[in-house]
Amino acid sequence: MSKETFTISEYGLIGTDDLVEGYNKFTSRKVPAEVFDDLVKFAKMDDGKDVFTFSGNGKYLQAKSYVGTIQTNSGYHIEILPKIYGGQDSEESAQKIFLELLRILYKLPKSIHRENANFQNEKIPILEIFISMFLDEVGYILKKGLKSDYIERQDNLHYLKGKLLVKEQIKRNYIHKEKFYVEYDEYTPNRVENRLIKSTLKYLANISSSFENIRLLRMYQEHIYSVEYSQNYEADFRKCKTNTRGMEHYKTALIWAKIFLKKESFSSFSGETIAFSILYPMEKLFESYMEHRLQMEYQNHQVQAQNGEETFVEDDAKNKLFGVRPDFIIKEGDDFKLVADAKWKIIEENSSFSQNDFYQLFAYQSIYKPKEALRLYYPMSNGFKNPKNFTYFDGSKITAVPINMNDLLNIAY
C-alpha cells in the first residue's frame, strides 16, 4: 500500500528542507528523509543518473527531462510532470497533458469506457490513473464477453478423445490399459490474451493504493477465475492476436498490460530502493506529439518521421562518415515541402537556441532543398510565444515555431 505522493516538474528539486520549494523556478517539493535517502541511492545508480542529478552541493536532487511516476520500496510516489507554459492549474494541466501525450504515443482511443469517469476531475496519482484506464478496458472486454479459443492440450483420460498419441500411450499406460493418452483441442477462455490480463490484474492489486482500483482488480480476477496466470510474459505477448476478427476490443487493454508487465515505457528503471517506475523522456513524447500534429495539419501530404538517413560526409572510397536524419520530412509527390526537427527545450531568448540545431537544419537544407520551409519546433515559453525567422549566410531561411502544449487540454477525455 503506497503512502503520500510528491509531485515535481521537470528540472524541479527534491529535498528535505523548507527552502527547496523556492530554490528555482520549477515545481519542487520537500519530502521526508526516508524518501530522499531512497532517491539518493537511486540517483547514484547508472539508471538513476538519467533521471536525477545532484544540486545545491548535494543538498537536493534535481529532475532531468524524464516524466512519469516512481514508487519507492518504502511506499511513496514521486511524480515528475512536464514543464508546461501557462495553464490555470499547472499541476492538473501538466498531468492531463502528460496523459494525452501517452494516448497519442500509443495511439489509444480518446473514449473512456468507464460509466463514471469522475477520477478525471480529481487530483490522484498518475499510477492510479494508469490503473483506472487499464480497468476501463478490462471492464469493456468483460461487457463484450471474454473471448475463448481452441487450445491444444494433452492429457491422460479414461476415455478416447481427439487423437491417440501412440508412443506416449505405450510409455505411460503400459499397465493402465483403461486410460488413453490423447491430444485434443479444447475451446476455453484460457488463451494468452486473457492470461496476460489476469496477470496484470494480480500485479496491479499489489501496487495500487486506491480502494476502488483494488476492489475492481480483485473483482475482475475472480470474474475470470477459469483463466490461468501467464507464466511467460514475453512468449505470451508474441502469441497475442489483437488484429483478428472479434479481438479488436482487446487491443488497448493489452497495450496497458505490456506497459505494466514488461515496464514497456521508453525507459524502465529499477533499483534496490525503487519498487516500480514508468518514465518517458519528454524529448521523445514531444516528437511523437509533433508527428501527430503534422499529420493532422498536412493530411494530403506524406509525413515521414525519422525515416531513413542521408549521407552528409563520406570519404574518398564513398564510405559514409556522417549522416543526417530529420525528425520530420513532409513530401508532396516526389518534392520535399518541409523539413523540420522538434526540440524539447525552453527558449527564453536568442541565446537559448542551440548553434548545433541550426547547423543541423542547414545540413538538411543542403541535402533535401525543401520548397517551402525549414523549421525548428520548441514548446512555447514566457520568452518565446511567437514564431521567429532567421536567415543563414547564403540567404536561406529557417523558422523557429513555438508549440502551445496547452492545446492538448482542449481534447476531451
Side-chain angles (χ1 to χ4, degrees):
M1 191 72 67
S2 71
K3 302 177 183 177
E4 190 173 351
T5 297
F6 300 97
T7 302
I8 63 173
S9 69
E10 295 173 89
Y11 314 113
L13 298 171
I14 292 173
T16 57
D17 63 34
D18 294 329
L19 298 177
V20 65
E21 297 189 11
Y23 191 83
N24 66 16
K25 63 181 179 180
F26 301 103
T27 304
S28 304
R29 287 289 182 269
K30 177 184 177 181
V31 299
E34 63 178 315
V35 179
F36 186 72
D37 291 342
D38 280 350
L39 294 175
V40 165
K41 291 175 185 175
F42 174 56
K44 290 179 177 178
M45 301 177 64
D46 288 342
D47 283 348
K49 289 175 184 177
D50 291 330
V51 183
F52 293 110
T53 187
F54 289 91
S55 181
N57 294 321
K59 193 176 182 180
Y60 305 125
L61 285 175
Q62 183 173 30
K64 293 186 177 180
S65 59
Y66 279 87
V67 294
T69 181
I70 300 171
Q71 183 176 322
T72 66
N73 283 336
S74 55
Y76 292 93
H77 279 149
I78 304 296
E79 290 183 358
I80 308 174
L81 296 177
K83 176 56 184 172
I84 304 298
Y85 163 75
Q88 296 290 322
D89 180 345
S90 58
E91 254 185 48
E92 182 183 351
S93 298
Q95 190 180 78
K96 288 182 178 179
I97 286 170
F98 174 50
L99 292 173
E100 184 61 22
L101 288 171
L102 288 188
R103 187 192 69 76
I104 290 170
L105 172 68
Y106 289 112
K107 297 179 172 59
L108 298 172
K110 292 182 184 179
S111 61
I112 296 295
H113 299 305
R114 184 189 293 272
E115 291 179 1
N116 182 4
N118 288 333
F119 75 93
Q120 293 291 343
N121 300 317
E122 299 174 3
K123 178 63 178 76
I124 62 175
I126 289 176
L127 177 59
E128 299 303 334
I129 295 176
F130 287 171
I131 294 172
S132 294
M133 294 171 82
F134 171 68
L135 287 168
D136 292 340
E137 299 301 329
V138 176
Y140 182 59
I141 288 170
L142 295 177
K143 283 181 181 178
K144 292 203 70 171
L146 208 62
K147 288 294 180 181
S148 296
D149 199 2
Y150 286 100
I151 308 295
E152 186 179 275
R153 295 194 59 178
Q154 293 183 6
D155 206 351
N156 208 13
L157 303 177
H158 286 284
Y159 54 91
L160 185 61
K161 179 180 182 180
K163 180 174 70 176
L164 181 69
L165 300 178
V166 178
K167 287 185 179 180
E168 291 297 321
Q169 174 70 14
I170 295 171
K171 177 181 175 181
R172 297 170 182 264
N173 296 328
Y174 181 76
I175 296 176
H176 298 282
K177 305 291 186 182
E178 75 283 3
K179 286 193 171 184
F180 302 90
Y181 199 89
V182 295
E183 181 180 272
Y184 60 95
D185 290 336
E186 181 180 34
Y187 194 65
T188 172
N190 191 38
R191 56 188 295 167
V192 292
E193 296 87 353
N194 294 332
R195 291 203 296 267
L196 289 166
I197 286 172
K198 187 170 182 178
S199 294
T200 309
L201 292 167
K202 179 182 179 182
Y203 173 70
L204 295 178
N206 292 325
I207 66 172
S208 176
S209 60
S210 162
F211 176 81
E212 177 62 12
N213 281 349
I214 293 172
R215 183 186 72 81
L216 288 173
L217 289 162
R218 291 174 176 170
M219 184 179 77
Y220 288 165
Q221 283 187 80
E222 293 173 3
H223 192 89
I224 54 176
Y225 67 92
S226 60
V227 175
E228 299 171 3
Y229 294 105
S230 172
Q231 302 301 314
N232 188 328
Y233 300 155
E234 192 73 42
D236 283 353
F237 275 117
R238 285 198 301 268
K239 295 175 185 174
C240 287
K241 302 175 182 177
T242 56
N243 293 324
T244 58
R245 185 177 178 182
M247 289 295 294
E248 298 87 354
H249 58 299
Y250 272 75
K251 187 174 182 179
T252 303
L254 288 169
I255 290 173
W256 282 113
K258 188 175 286 189
I259 291 171
F260 287 122
L261 294 180
K262 295 180 64 181
K263 311 294 190 298
E264 197 160 284
S265 57
F266 274 115
S267 299
S268 175
F269 301 95
S270 60
E272 294 179 2
T273 60
I274 301 301
F276 178 85
S277 68
I278 299 180
L279 296 164
Y280 298 81
M282 268 306 301
E283 182 80 15
K284 296 296 183 184
L285 289 177
F286 185 53
E287 288 175 8
S288 173
Y289 171 53
M290 284 310 307
E291 179 183 358
H292 172 79
R293 190 163 173 147
L294 289 171
Q295 285 173 342
M296 296 297 101
E297 185 178 348
Y298 294 95
Q299 294 188 32
N300 298 321
H301 298 76
Q302 303 171 53
V303 178
Q304 300 175 355
Q306 295 278 345
N307 188 21
E309 184 176 74
E310 295 291 336
T311 300
F312 184 48
V313 179
E314 62 183 20
D315 62 18
D316 290 339
K318 301 297 183 183
N319 296 310
K320 181 169 70 176
L321 184 61
F322 301 115
V324 294
R325 178 183 292 144
D327 289 340
F328 308 106
I329 294 173
I330 295 176
K331 296 179 70 177
E332 192 170 27
D334 294 329
D335 296 325
F336 294 103
K337 183 181 181 72
L338 179 147
V339 181
D341 272 354
K343 304 293 181 182
W344 184 255
K345 182 180 180 182
I346 304 300
I347 301 296
E348 297 293 355
E349 52 193 16
N350 279 354
S351 61
S352 302
F353 290 107
S354 166
Q355 191 176 54
N356 287 336
D357 292 345
F358 281 77
Y359 283 159
Q360 198 168 29
L361 267 290
F362 186 73
Y364 300 163
Q365 168 69 27
S366 302
I367 293 172
Y368 297 96
K369 297 179 174 58
K371 295 177 66 176
E372 292 190 14
L374 282 174
R375 286 186 193 159
L376 279 166
Y377 294 105
Y378 298 94
M380 182 180 287
S381 64
N382 286 315
F384 183 45
K385 300 178 183 178
N386 300 299
K388 290 189 175 187
N389 298 308
F390 301 93
T391 304
Y392 287 110
F393 68 92
D394 66 345
S396 55
K397 307 289 185 181
I398 180 173
T399 302
V401 182
I403 300 299
N404 188 352
M405 301 299 290
N406 287 295
D407 290 346
L408 288 163
L409 297 175
N410 298 322
I411 300 176
Y413 281 85

